[in-house]
Each structure stands twice: as C-alpha cells, then as structure tokens.
Amino acid sequence: MRRFLFLPLVAALALLTGGADNAPDILSQVINNPAVGSWQVSGLGQAPTPRTDESVQGGKALRIAVPAKGENEWDVSAGMAVGKPVKSGDTLLLAVWARAETPPQGSTTARLPILIQQNSAPYTPIAQSEVAVTGKWALYYVSATVTQDWGGGTLGIAVHLAGAKQTIDLGPAFLLDLGQNYDAAKLPQNPVVADNSPA
C-alpha cells in the first residue's frame, strides 16, 4: 500500500480509536488496500474509474450510477479483497466513505447494505449493516468478532448498490483487525439520519 494514501486517512482513522496519538497503531491494523482504485464493480456494462474529489479523505472517489433497481441488491455491487489472514476471535471493523450523489426518487437517502463476507461463492456474510447514506460524505461501519480462522484472500468487503435507481460515490474503505478481546463498546456507530422516503 502506498504511504501517500495513508497520510490523508490518518485523521479519519484516529477518530476510530480516540486520537492522533494512536495513528501508527491504527495503520498497522489495516488489513486491506483501502485505495479507491481497489474497488471492483460488478453488474455494469462498463466499470467506473476513480475521479478527483477533494472533499473526501484521499481525494479520490468512485461514482457508480445504477440505471435501474435490480432483482437483487447485489446485482450491482462494489467489493475489495482482503489480503491478510484473520484469526478466530479477532474483532474486525470496516469503515467505508460513501455519499449519495443522486438518491432514489422520493428520498433524500440511499439505503445500502455494507458487508464483510467470504470472498468466493457462496459469499457468506460475516457481518453486515444497512446504512442510510446522505448527500454528504460520511464514514459507515460494520463490525464483527470472527468465529473461525480466515486465510489471506478468503475474506472480502462489499457494498450492494442495486436496491434502487441511484448514483453512489464511494471513497476509500478500510478494514481494521483490532485483535482479540476488543471492547465492542468502543466501536464507532453509524450516523442516525431521517429517511423521508414515501411509506
């Protein structure tokens, strides 16, 4: 992973554990390549390419225009592989930068499932959270304590995008391995936002 990517992310990562003094420890816990260029998008005729966006950590974003609601939410999805192994009992924290450029018609938010999952069929979820993404950049989280060992490359992260016709911007995403016996009460929580979509 390139060092220059981490420098603008340090401030965001430090928020996860309480301050910039913890930044070196935080960086050692990242087990994927969080760069926007690491996103692999499936389900579109042509994969999008990173674009400049100075308002998100790292200065790059991936804009994904979903042309129509899919039969399944995962018919259009973005994912990253996790290169490092994970031990049973480790606590994982996934943090994804995201915003809704164009939310579904009639709503001010886009509801997206974010997952830590097996990186091959049947893509079994290890943990997932459905988040309400607004038009402003924010970090969205998923966490889990794993119950088995996972080898390098066998886990992945995913965002399911085909729940509606919508345009979503994804920024960097990073998966932290916080190790054994981590206090779950210290984990950050997703922002709570009102959803004004029709009943």
Side-chain angles (χ1 to χ4, degrees), residues 140-186:
Y140 298 91
Y141 305 105
V142 182
S143 61
T145 299
V146 298
T147 58
Q148 69 178 75
D149 291 348
W150 292 89
T154 61
L155 282 181
I157 64 177
V159 181
H160 293 165
L161 300 160
K165 179 181 178 180
Q166 57 195 348
T167 300
I168 303 298
D169 286 347
L170 295 178
F174 41 96
L175 186 62
L176 303 174
D177 187 341
L178 302 173
Q180 303 277 310
N181 303 314
Y182 191 85
D183 182 0
K186 295 181 180 179

Side-chain angles (χ1 to χ4, degrees), residues 39-123:
W39 285 114
Q40 298 293 314
V41 177
S42 62
L44 295 178
Q46 183 173 354
T49 57
R51 59 197 299 274
T52 299
D53 188 333
E54 297 299 338
S55 60
V56 65
Q57 293 288 331
K60 293 286 185 181
L62 197 66
R63 178 159 292 172
I64 304 167
V66 180
K69 181 178 180 178
E71 288 187 26
N72 307 293
E73 291 176 319
W74 58 84
D75 287 348
V76 177
S77 64
M80 290 184 183
V82 177
K84 295 186 179 180
V86 172
K87 295 290 187 184
S88 178
D90 284 359
T91 295
L92 303 182
L93 175 66
L94 171 60
V96 178
W97 284 105
R99 65 179 290 273
E101 168 67 13
T102 307
Q105 186 174 6
S107 179
T108 58
T109 62
R111 303 198 72 84
L112 303 178
I114 299 176
L115 305 90
I116 304 169
Q117 64 181 22
Q118 186 177 353
N119 199 35
S120 59
Y123 301 100

Side-chain angles (χ1 to χ4, degrees), residues 21 28 63 93 109 122 136 163 188 190:
D21 291 343
S28 70
R63 178 159 292 172
L93 175 66
T109 62
K136 294 183 179 180
N190 285 311

Side-chain angles (χ1 to χ4, degrees), residues 8-48:
L9 286 174
V10 166
L13 289 166
L15 293 175
L16 305 180
T17 56
D21 291 343
N22 295 325
D25 291 339
I26 295 167
L27 297 182
S28 70
Q29 294 170 321
V30 177
I31 61 172
N32 71 310
N33 182 343
V36 168
S38 296
W39 285 114
Q40 298 293 314
V41 177
S42 62
L44 295 178
Q46 183 173 354

Side-chain angles (χ1 to χ4, degrees), residues 125-138:
I126 307 305
Q128 65 184 65
S129 180
E130 185 175 277
V131 299
V133 177
T134 72
K136 294 183 179 180
W137 283 109

